[in-house]
Amino acid sequence: MNNGKPTTIVIFGASGDLTKRKLLPALFELSREGLLPSQTRIVGFARREKSHEQFRREMQEGVLQFARSKPQSGAAGFDDFFAGLYYHAGTYDDPESFAGLNSLLQELDKASGVTGNRLFYLSTPPSLFFPIISKLGAADLIADIHAEESWSRVIIEKPFGRDLASARKLNRDILSVLHESQVYRIDHYLGKETVQNIMAFRFGNSIFEPLWNRRYIDHVQITVGEAVSVGSRAGYYDRSGAVRDMVQNHILQLVALVGMEPPASFAGNAVRDEKVKVLSSLRPVAAGEGNQLTVRGQYKGGKLGDNVIPDYLSEPDVSDGSRTETYAALKLYLDNWRWSGVPFYVRTGKALAKRISEITIQFRQPPLVLFGHAEHEGHVDGDHMQPNLLSLRVQPNESIRLQFGLKVPGSRMILQPNEMDFCYSDVFHTEQPEAYERLILDAILGESTLFIRDDEVDAAWRYVDTVLNAWQEDSSTPIGTYEAGSWGPAAVDRLLAKDGRKWINL
Ligand code: BG6
C-alpha cells in the first residue's frame, strides 16, 4: 500500500553519519514495505562534489550495513529504490546552491509528474538550521500553507537550542519563514514503538487510568542508561552534557507521556496540548536547591564489556578540566492536580553497566499492619511487603511487568513479590520498525503527533535552564565521578534514600 502523495525528500547533511546509518536505511525499509508514496525521489545535499552515481553507491553501503531487514544487493526493489536517489552539491550560505537545488527539484517533478510536495530533512549541525531554512524561503522552495497543489515540510534534528534563550531565538527565526504546521522537530524516542505504547497502554485500558494519580502512586522512576562512552562524539558532547543531550528532550518526553491527561483525540495538537501542560508544570529548581534535587557525574576509566574505557577527561576532544556531566539524576515534581507531591526520579548516563531504558511506576503500600506479624515472627526475608510496581521497558527486550505480592503456600500468612510479565517478542513475532521509519512516514503524511511543537520545546527548556543555572552557580564543588561500567555516582542513591526510597534494581 502506498501512502500519501508523491513526494521529494531532500536531505541536508547527506554526507553525515545519520544519513548513512539511519535515514537511508529507514527510507529503504519504508520503500521495501511499500509504504512510501509512488514516485518518491530522494535528493542528498552536502558540500562535497560527487555524482548521483557516487552518492547511490555510498548510500547502498549504508543500507547494506545498517538496514534492519539485512537486504542483499540486487534483492527485489533494491535497484529501483537507489535509482530514485540524486545528489546536489552546494554550500549552505550560497543562494546559488539553492537556486540550483530548485532547478533539480523542478526537473525531477516534471519527469515524474510530482506536484511539488517536498520534505526537507535538516540533518546538519544546529548552526545551519536557520541558514538553510532562510535560503529555502528565499529560493521560493517553501509552498504557501494554503496551496492546494503542494506542501512543504521541514524535519529538524536535535539539538534544538542549547538553553531557553537560544531555543526561543531559533523558534522565532524558523517561524519567520515557516508556519508551525510545516515544522517537524524530531525526537527519535517518540518514534520508538514502546514509547508510543505508553499512550496506548494508559488510555486503551480502563484498569490502570483510575489508579494513575497521587492517591495510588508513590513515585515514578525513569532510567535511560547507555553502555557506551562518548567515543568519537566528544566534540559535540562536551559542549552539551547529559541534561541537554538526553533530559531536555527524550526523558522529559517520557515524563510528559506518563504524566499527561487523556487527550481529546490522538490528533497532533490535542496530544501536544496535553504534553505542554505537563512540561509547564515542572517545578523549577530554585537557587540553592541543586544539591537536594540533582546529582551529576563524570565517568572515570573502567570496562564496558571487553572494552577498556579511558577517563572522560582523557577522551579525544574533551576540553581540559571539563565540568560536562556524563551522568545526571534529577528529582522532578509536576505541580498539578494529578501529581501533586509525587516525585519523578529520572537518571541517565553514558558508560553505565547496561543499556536499558525503563519507566517504573511504584504504587503506594497497602496498610502494613495486616501482615506485619509475619516479619516479627521471623518467617520472612524482609522482602515480603514489596510495593506494586508497574514497569514499562522501553529497550532492549521491550516488556511490561506488574509486580504484586502473593501468599507463600503454607500455614502462615507470608507474602512474596511476584511478577506478571508481557514480552513484546513473545507475542509479536515481527521485528519492530526503527524509530526513523515511523517518523519519516508520519512527516510525509502530515501527521505531527510524534513531533515536538514550539511550545513544548519552550516549556522543556524553561525547566532545564533552572537545572543548568543551579549547576552554574555551584561551579566550585567538584563534579562527582563514577567508574565506567558502574551504575553512576554514589550520590545518586542518596537522592532517593533521603526520601526513604530506593532505585529499582535493573
Ligand atoms: C541521542 C543522543 O539523541 O540519543 C545520544 O544524542 C544518545 O547521545 C542517543 O546515545 C540514544 O538513543 P537510543 O535510541 O540509542 O536510546
Side-chain angles (χ1 to χ4, degrees), residues 158 188-189 192 226 233 236-237 245-246 250 350 355 395:
K158 60 169 291 226
H188 78 280
Y189 266 56
K192 292 182 191 273
E226 293 193 90
R233 292 178 72 226
Y236 148 74
Y237 193 88
D245 187 50
M246 296 295 289
H250 311 322
K350 297 273 185 210
R355 173 177 185 252
Q395 62 189 22

Side-chain angles (χ1 to χ4, degrees), residues 301-332:
K303 278 190 95 179
L304 291 178
D306 292 335
N307 298 331
V308 177
I309 303 297
D311 288 356
Y312 175 71
L313 288 175
S314 312
E315 296 272 19
D317 297 329
V318 170
S319 59
D320 287 346
S322 167
R323 288 176 63 80
T324 299
E325 78 288 353
T326 60
Y327 182 99
L330 309 167
K331 176 176 167 183
L332 314 169

Side-chain angles (χ1 to χ4, degrees), residues 211-470:
L211 308 179
W212 211 265
N213 58 53
R214 66 179 187 286
R215 247 167 278 130
Y216 300 99
I217 293 179
D218 180 75
H219 73 275
V220 177
Q221 295 188 16
I222 299 180
T223 300
V224 179
E226 293 193 90
V228 290
S229 62
V230 290
S232 59
R233 292 178 72 226
Y236 148 74
Y237 193 88
D238 198 44
R239 280 177 283 116
S240 170
V243 163
R244 288 187 172 98
D245 187 50
M246 296 295 289
V247 176
Q248 187 274 337
N249 38 52
H250 311 322
I251 291 192
L252 290 187
Q253 283 298 317
L254 297 179
V255 169
L257 292 170
V258 171
M260 70 195 262
E261 296 299 316
S265 76
F266 277 114
N269 282 335
V271 170
R272 295 185 299 177
D273 285 347
E274 297 307 331
K275 286 200 292 164
V276 172
K277 288 184 205 160
V278 176
L279 296 170
S280 306
S281 70
L282 279 162
R283 185 188 299 171
V285 176
E289 272 185 344
N291 285 335
Q292 273 161 264
L293 299 176
T294 73
V295 173
R296 56 183 156 157
Q298 225 175 42
Y299 63 81
K300 302 288 272 180
K303 278 190 95 179
L304 291 178
D306 292 335
N307 298 331
V308 177
I309 303 297
D311 288 356
Y312 175 71
L313 288 175
S314 312
E315 296 272 19
D317 297 329
V318 170
S319 59
D320 287 346
S322 167
R323 288 176 63 80
T324 299
E325 78 288 353
T326 60
Y327 182 99
L330 309 167
K331 176 176 167 183
L332 314 169
Y333 278 107
L334 300 175
D335 282 333
N336 62 27
W337 194 266
R338 184 186 287 260
W339 295 109
S340 175
V342 179
F344 281 57
Y345 301 97
V346 305
R347 57 178 171 167
T348 184
K350 297 273 185 210
L352 296 184
K354 257 192 198 169
R355 173 177 185 252
I356 191 166
S357 299
E358 184 157 307
I359 300 167
T360 303
I361 316 292
Q362 180 163 326
F363 291 90
R364 287 185 188 282
Q365 292 276 20
L368 289 177
V369 279
L370 269 183
F371 303 108
H373 70 279
E375 193 169 33
H376 298 311
E377 290 171 16
H379 295 297
V380 286
D381 57 8
D383 258 356
H384 70 300
M385 277 310 296
Q386 294 287 316
N388 292 123
L389 301 177
L390 175 67
S391 302
L392 310 175
R393 171 78 59 87
V394 173
Q395 62 189 22
N397 308 328
E398 294 78 359
S399 66
I400 298 179
R401 305 183 316 276
L402 181 63
Q403 175 180 288
F404 51 91
L406 280 179
K407 182 182 174 302
V408 178
S411 57
R412 300 184 193 280
M413 181 55 86
I414 299 176
L415 270 76
Q416 179 180 296
N418 279 280
E419 269 191 356
M420 268 194 318
D421 61 7
F422 153 79
C423 279
Y424 276 74
S425 58
D426 291 347
V427 177
F428 301 114
H429 301 292
T430 53
E431 222 185 307
Q432 303 207 8
E434 285 275 330
Y436 282 98
E437 294 173 35
R438 170 67 193 263
L439 294 174
I440 294 173
L441 184 60
D442 276 6
I444 292 173
L445 297 176
E447 170 54 68
S448 57
T449 311
L450 301 179
F451 291 87
I452 313 292
R453 210 168 57 188
D454 55 349
D455 47 355
E456 278 181 89
V457 175
D458 201 87
W461 276 119
R462 277 205 302 276
Y463 164 74
V464 166
D465 255 19
T466 67
V467 176
L468 297 173
N469 290 341

